[in-house]
Amino acid sequence: MSANRPSHRQSPTRVVVVGAGVGGLVAAALLAREGLDVQLLEAAATPGGKMRPVELGALRLDGGPTVLTMRWVFDALFDRLGESLDRHVHLQRCDVLARHAWSATERLDLHADLAQSLAEISTLSGPAEAARYAAFTVRARQVYETLDRPFMRSSRPTPGSLTWRVLSQQGPRGLARLMRISPFTTLWRELGRYFHDPRLRQLFGRYATYCGSSPFDAPATLMLVAHVEREAVWQVEGGMARLGQALVGCAQRQGVRLRCGATVQRLLTRGGRVSGVQLADGDTVEADAVVFNGDARALTAGLLGPDAPRDLHHGSPSLSALTWHAEAETSGFELSHHNVFFGPAAGYAEEFAAIAAGRLPAAPTVYVCAQDRSGQRRASRPGPRRPERLMCLVNAPAVAAGPGLTAEEIARCEAQMWNRLHEAGLRVNLTAPARLTQPQDFAQRFPGSQGALYGPASQGWRASFQARPAGRTSLPGLFLAGGSVHPGPGVPMAALSGQLAAEQILAGLRSTSRFPLAAMPGGISTR
């Protein structure tokens, strides 16, 4: 053991991490860095969680997250592990955050450069609307700066503890900002204070879907996502799976033992605390602590046996999705890396009302990730036109939201999706049928999730304090990580959840030879 890895006991503390997604990989790497004996168990054949790619023959496409924000989370993580992020992945900062279209003539690029975004909004909606957008960016930054350390980087707070954290970290000025972040109103209503053009209200309302929520229900604090994206959106060369592979390598170099194809069937307890896990093949793995990096609903649903805690609080399941992965020739509309195609703004509420009722929307918003395109301002397609990789996504209800989607509903939604792209001027010629993934597929891939891709939805102001479980559970020695728990879904947030789980375990080791028996109080997504 190296000198910078302290030994907390005569024999290393044994930790089992269940699930090799981002949160599990981060927790495992940080714990191993501190000299703990860490075994990482993954049910799938390969690690990566939602960042595992979709394979179409020889092609590999992002199958989950497509956007990286909050790069500083990973810079700090790799530095803490004695590594460099830049040595393992190549990141390119996007000039164009996303390209938006409502028709063949109504288009808007949001840029990392504020002046360029202001010019685009002025052209689309007029100078007054551009001025209102400038005011909105100031407000979004204030919300982010107020909640960053006391909420997102800390264990889940209560309203009182959040107030105390803001006061102690930011002083009276921070407390004044906390009172102005509009936690008691919805994102949609607050956007109405800034934007008179319904298209812009629609555009920024879509940020609620980044945590699987409706802008008509989500708290106004989610406007901070607008600031996070404008601060920087990064494109990972080779796709998001490259970041997952880099995390796997880091974890293994710290001494983490990765075991794939290992399905955990049951949590084991002894003397009122967790003592290990039992696998589906009957094998048992003993542990002094367990980090569960699956959907937290799996615990309360009894999928990990009778000893798993049942007192976790979950909000309603978040949105799911229909996704189509394909190779295609495109023409007409010039795609950027990230593209959003909206329907009429007047019908935006109907889209989320349909999903809440368990149906697919009749006029869906369509997100297209053109994975071979750059997010740079200049033409992103080099050389002659050739087939390119596309991922198209439409929001859909989770499995629990209704009786399930029929083949006819899905076929109708797919036709509407292609029609939406055609109306915006994009011509798509598939080289082979697209591969469809639907909510039931996600439910099977991520047990307990009910097909929800973002854990619980953020509905109302209480969601920040009650919708997601905290990282420490009422079962001593059991900790949680991943997008279904605090601080929320998305790649950087999942990484922070893994960091919080590791820090809580290490804090317990520093304070006593055994873990504290009492549960400690503990979302917001930035993708």
Side-chain angles (χ1 to χ4, degrees), residues 207-213 218 222 318-319 454-458 468 489 523-525:
Y207 284 138
T209 66
Y210 291 9
C211 65
S213 305
L222 286 184
S318 72
L319 300 175
Y454 314 87
S458 294
R468 296 177 181 278
I524 292 177
S525 169

PDB file of all heavy atoms in Angstrom, residues 207-213 218 222 318-319 454-458 468 489 523-525:
ATOM      1  N   TYR A 207     -35.632  22.337 -20.640  1.00  0.00           N
ATOM      2  CA  TYR A 207     -34.561  21.952 -19.710  1.00  0.00           C
ATOM      3  C   TYR A 207     -35.081  21.082 -18.576  1.00  0.00           C
ATOM      4  O   TYR A 207     -34.316  20.333 -17.967  1.00  0.00           O
ATOM      5  CB  TYR A 207     -33.870  23.197 -19.147  1.00  0.00           C
ATOM      6  CG  TYR A 207     -32.921  23.854 -20.114  1.00  0.00           C
ATOM      7  CD1 TYR A 207     -32.866  25.243 -20.239  1.00  0.00           C
ATOM      8  CD2 TYR A 207     -32.069  23.095 -20.904  1.00  0.00           C
ATOM      9  CE1 TYR A 207     -31.985  25.848 -21.117  1.00  0.00           C
ATOM     10  CE2 TYR A 207     -31.195  23.694 -21.792  1.00  0.00           C
ATOM     11  CZ  TYR A 207     -31.146  25.069 -21.899  1.00  0.00           C
ATOM     12  OH  TYR A 207     -30.284  25.664 -22.779  1.00  0.00           O
ATOM     13  N   ALA A 208     -36.375  21.177 -18.267  1.00  0.00           N
ATOM     14  CA  ALA A 208     -36.931  20.307 -17.229  1.00  0.00           C
ATOM     15  C   ALA A 208     -36.845  18.843 -17.625  1.00  0.00           C
ATOM     16  O   ALA A 208     -36.739  17.963 -16.760  1.00  0.00           O
ATOM     17  CB  ALA A 208     -38.392  20.685 -16.962  1.00  0.00           C
ATOM     18  N   THR A 209     -36.867  18.561 -18.918  1.00  0.00           N
ATOM     19  CA  THR A 209     -36.808  17.161 -19.357  1.00  0.00           C
ATOM     20  C   THR A 209     -35.427  16.562 -19.128  1.00  0.00           C
ATOM     21  O   THR A 209     -35.273  15.343 -19.172  1.00  0.00           O
ATOM     22  CB  THR A 209     -37.188  17.029 -20.845  1.00  0.00           C
ATOM     23  OG1 THR A 209     -36.207  17.674 -21.670  1.00  0.00           O
ATOM     24  CG2 THR A 209     -38.549  17.642 -21.114  1.00  0.00           C
ATOM     25  N   TYR A 210     -34.428  17.401 -18.877  1.00  0.00           N
ATOM     26  CA  TYR A 210     -33.088  16.881 -18.590  1.00  0.00           C
ATOM     27  C   TYR A 210     -33.069  16.096 -17.285  1.00  0.00           C
ATOM     28  O   TYR A 210     -32.149  15.313 -17.052  1.00  0.00           O
ATOM     29  CB  TYR A 210     -32.068  18.020 -18.502  1.00  0.00           C
ATOM     30  CG  TYR A 210     -31.769  18.708 -19.803  1.00  0.00           C
ATOM     31  CD1 TYR A 210     -32.502  18.450 -20.952  1.00  0.00           C
ATOM     32  CD2 TYR A 210     -30.754  19.646 -19.877  1.00  0.00           C
ATOM     33  CE1 TYR A 210     -32.230  19.093 -22.139  1.00  0.00           C
ATOM     34  CE2 TYR A 210     -30.461  20.308 -21.072  1.00  0.00           C
ATOM     35  CZ  TYR A 210     -31.212  20.024 -22.197  1.00  0.00           C
ATOM     36  OH  TYR A 210     -30.937  20.675 -23.368  1.00  0.00           O
ATOM     37  N   CYS A 211     -34.038  16.338 -16.408  1.00  0.00           N
ATOM     38  CA  CYS A 211     -34.174  15.507 -15.214  1.00  0.00           C
ATOM     39  C   CYS A 211     -35.490  14.738 -15.265  1.00  0.00           C
ATOM     40  O   CYS A 211     -36.023  14.327 -14.245  1.00  0.00           O
ATOM     41  CB  CYS A 211     -34.064  16.338 -13.936  1.00  0.00           C
ATOM     42  SG  CYS A 211     -35.372  17.510 -13.694  1.00  0.00           S
ATOM     43  N   GLY A 212     -36.003  14.554 -16.488  1.00  0.00           N
ATOM     44  CA  GLY A 212     -37.173  13.700 -16.685  1.00  0.00           C
ATOM     45  C   GLY A 212     -38.465  14.277 -16.187  1.00  0.00           C
ATOM     46  O   GLY A 212     -39.374  13.533 -15.803  1.00  0.00           O
ATOM     47  N   SER A 213     -38.605  15.598 -16.204  1.00  0.00           N
ATOM     48  CA  SER A 213     -39.771  16.240 -15.623  1.00  0.00           C
ATOM     49  C   SER A 213     -40.477  17.135 -16.633  1.00  0.00           C
ATOM     50  O   SER A 213     -39.917  17.498 -17.667  1.00  0.00           O
ATOM     51  CB  SER A 213     -39.359  17.078 -14.403  1.00  0.00           C
ATOM     52  OG  SER A 213     -38.663  16.288 -13.474  1.00  0.00           O
ATOM     53  N   ALA A 218     -42.156  21.124 -12.771  1.00  0.00           N
ATOM     54  CA  ALA A 218     -40.822  21.214 -12.182  1.00  0.00           C
ATOM     55  C   ALA A 218     -40.612  22.563 -11.508  1.00  0.00           C
ATOM     56  O   ALA A 218     -41.143  23.577 -11.952  1.00  0.00           O
ATOM     57  CB  ALA A 218     -39.768  20.992 -13.266  1.00  0.00           C
ATOM     58  N   LEU A 222     -34.784  24.846 -11.649  1.00  0.00           N
ATOM     59  CA  LEU A 222     -34.147  24.142 -12.765  1.00  0.00           C
ATOM     60  C   LEU A 222     -33.663  25.093 -13.855  1.00  0.00           C
ATOM     61  O   LEU A 222     -33.002  24.653 -14.802  1.00  0.00           O
ATOM     62  CB  LEU A 222     -35.093  23.104 -13.357  1.00  0.00           C
ATOM     63  CG  LEU A 222     -35.295  21.838 -12.516  1.00  0.00           C
ATOM     64  CD1 LEU A 222     -36.180  20.852 -13.241  1.00  0.00           C
ATOM     65  CD2 LEU A 222     -33.970  21.193 -12.173  1.00  0.00           C
ATOM     66  N   SER A 318     -39.866   9.436 -13.365  1.00  0.00           N
ATOM     67  CA  SER A 318     -39.586  10.468 -14.358  1.00  0.00           C
ATOM     68  C   SER A 318     -40.019  10.014 -15.744  1.00  0.00           C
ATOM     69  O   SER A 318     -40.567   8.922 -15.941  1.00  0.00           O
ATOM     70  CB  SER A 318     -38.095  10.777 -14.364  1.00  0.00           C
ATOM     71  OG  SER A 318     -37.375   9.695 -14.949  1.00  0.00           O
ATOM     72  N   LEU A 319     -39.734  10.848 -16.716  1.00  0.00           N
ATOM     73  CA  LEU A 319     -39.985  10.496 -18.102  1.00  0.00           C
ATOM     74  C   LEU A 319     -39.127   9.303 -18.531  1.00  0.00           C
ATOM     75  O   LEU A 319     -38.043   9.079 -18.004  1.00  0.00           O
ATOM     76  CB  LEU A 319     -39.655  11.674 -19.024  1.00  0.00           C
ATOM     77  CG  LEU A 319     -40.420  12.981 -18.817  1.00  0.00           C
ATOM     78  CD1 LEU A 319     -39.854  14.056 -19.736  1.00  0.00           C
ATOM     79  CD2 LEU A 319     -41.899  12.782 -19.051  1.00  0.00           C
ATOM     80  N   TYR A 454     -34.541   8.885 -15.375  1.00  0.00           N
ATOM     81  CA  TYR A 454     -33.921   9.915 -14.551  1.00  0.00           C
ATOM     82  C   TYR A 454     -34.266   9.766 -13.077  1.00  0.00           C
ATOM     83  O   TYR A 454     -34.152  10.720 -12.318  1.00  0.00           O
ATOM     84  CB  TYR A 454     -34.347  11.305 -15.030  1.00  0.00           C
ATOM     85  CG  TYR A 454     -34.269  11.496 -16.524  1.00  0.00           C
ATOM     86  CD1 TYR A 454     -35.334  11.154 -17.359  1.00  0.00           C
ATOM     87  CD2 TYR A 454     -33.120  12.011 -17.118  1.00  0.00           C
ATOM     88  CE1 TYR A 454     -35.258  11.317 -18.741  1.00  0.00           C
ATOM     89  CE2 TYR A 454     -33.043  12.191 -18.494  1.00  0.00           C
ATOM     90  CZ  TYR A 454     -34.114  11.837 -19.290  1.00  0.00           C
ATOM     91  OH  TYR A 454     -34.045  12.001 -20.658  1.00  0.00           O
ATOM     92  N   GLY A 455     -34.681   8.561 -12.664  1.00  0.00           N
ATOM     93  CA  GLY A 455     -35.118   8.392 -11.286  1.00  0.00           C
ATOM     94  C   GLY A 455     -36.462   9.051 -11.067  1.00  0.00           C
ATOM     95  O   GLY A 455     -37.319   9.076 -11.954  1.00  0.00           O
ATOM     96  N   PRO A 456     -36.701   9.642  -9.887  1.00  0.00           N
ATOM     97  CA  PRO A 456     -37.964  10.348  -9.652  1.00  0.00           C
ATOM     98  C   PRO A 456     -38.007  11.671 -10.403  1.00  0.00           C
ATOM     99  O   PRO A 456     -36.980  12.321 -10.600  1.00  0.00           O
ATOM    100  CB  PRO A 456     -37.960  10.586  -8.128  1.00  0.00           C
ATOM    101  CG  PRO A 456     -36.889   9.701  -7.582  1.00  0.00           C
ATOM    102  CD  PRO A 456     -35.882   9.545  -8.674  1.00  0.00           C
ATOM    103  N   ALA A 457     -39.204  12.070 -10.804  1.00  0.00           N
ATOM    104  CA  ALA A 457     -39.391  13.368 -11.440  1.00  0.00           C
ATOM    105  C   ALA A 457     -39.321  14.472 -10.394  1.00  0.00           C
ATOM    106  O   ALA A 457     -39.595  14.253  -9.207  1.00  0.00           O
ATOM    107  CB  ALA A 457     -40.737  13.419 -12.160  1.00  0.00           C
ATOM    108  N   SER A 458     -38.931  15.663 -10.827  1.00  0.00           N
ATOM    109  CA  SER A 458     -38.920  16.832  -9.948  1.00  0.00           C
ATOM    110  C   SER A 458     -40.256  17.549 -10.093  1.00  0.00           C
ATOM    111  O   SER A 458     -40.502  18.240 -11.075  1.00  0.00           O
ATOM    112  CB  SER A 458     -37.770  17.771 -10.320  1.00  0.00           C
ATOM    113  OG  SER A 458     -36.524  17.159 -10.072  1.00  0.00           O
ATOM    114  N   ARG A 468     -35.944  12.360  -3.853  1.00  0.00           N
ATOM    115  CA  ARG A 468     -34.823  11.437  -4.047  1.00  0.00           C
ATOM    116  C   ARG A 468     -34.249  10.998  -2.706  1.00  0.00           C
ATOM    117  O   ARG A 468     -34.059  11.815  -1.811  1.00  0.00           O
ATOM    118  CB  ARG A 468     -33.722  12.113  -4.872  1.00  0.00           C
ATOM    119  CG  ARG A 468     -34.177  12.444  -6.265  1.00  0.00           C
ATOM    120  CD  ARG A 468     -33.118  13.172  -7.060  1.00  0.00           C
ATOM    121  NE  ARG A 468     -33.667  13.466  -8.375  1.00  0.00           N
ATOM    122  CZ  ARG A 468     -33.702  12.604  -9.379  1.00  0.00           C
ATOM    123  NH1 ARG A 468     -33.153  11.415  -9.222  1.00  0.00           N
ATOM    124  NH2 ARG A 468     -34.250  12.921 -10.526  1.00  0.00           N
ATOM    125  N   PRO A 489     -30.112  13.265 -11.557  1.00  0.00           N
ATOM    126  CA  PRO A 489     -29.656  12.527 -12.731  1.00  0.00           C
ATOM    127  C   PRO A 489     -28.679  13.332 -13.580  1.00  0.00           C
ATOM    128  O   PRO A 489     -28.493  14.527 -13.383  1.00  0.00           O
ATOM    129  CB  PRO A 489     -30.955  12.281 -13.502  1.00  0.00           C
ATOM    130  CG  PRO A 489     -31.794  13.482 -13.181  1.00  0.00           C
ATOM    131  CD  PRO A 489     -31.460  13.828 -11.754  1.00  0.00           C
ATOM    132  N   GLY A 523     -34.072  16.384  -7.415  1.00  0.00           N
ATOM    133  CA  GLY A 523     -32.746  16.497  -7.869  1.00  0.00           C
ATOM    134  C   GLY A 523     -32.707  17.469  -9.004  1.00  0.00           C
ATOM    135  O   GLY A 523     -33.693  17.876  -9.582  1.00  0.00           O
ATOM    136  N   ILE A 524     -31.517  17.681  -9.005  1.00  0.00           N
ATOM    137  CA  ILE A 524     -31.315  18.624 -10.103  1.00  0.00           C
ATOM    138  C   ILE A 524     -30.421  17.972 -11.134  1.00  0.00           C
ATOM    139  O   ILE A 524     -29.423  17.364 -10.794  1.00  0.00           O
ATOM    140  CB  ILE A 524     -30.692  19.935  -9.588  1.00  0.00           C
ATOM    141  CG1 ILE A 524     -31.711  20.677  -8.718  1.00  0.00           C
ATOM    142  CG2 ILE A 524     -30.246  20.816 -10.718  1.00  0.00           C
ATOM    143  CD1 ILE A 524     -31.173  21.938  -8.098  1.00  0.00           C
ATOM    144  N   SER A 525     -30.769  18.106 -12.419  1.00  0.00           N
ATOM    145  CA  SER A 525     -29.958  17.484 -13.453  1.00  0.00           C
ATOM    146  C   SER A 525     -29.272  18.521 -14.326  1.00  0.00           C
ATOM    147  O   SER A 525     -29.838  19.548 -14.639  1.00  0.00           O
ATOM    148  CB  SER A 525     -30.817  16.617 -14.359  1.00  0.00           C
ATOM    149  OG  SER A 525     -30.103  16.213 -15.484  1.00  0.00           O
TER     150      SER A 525
END
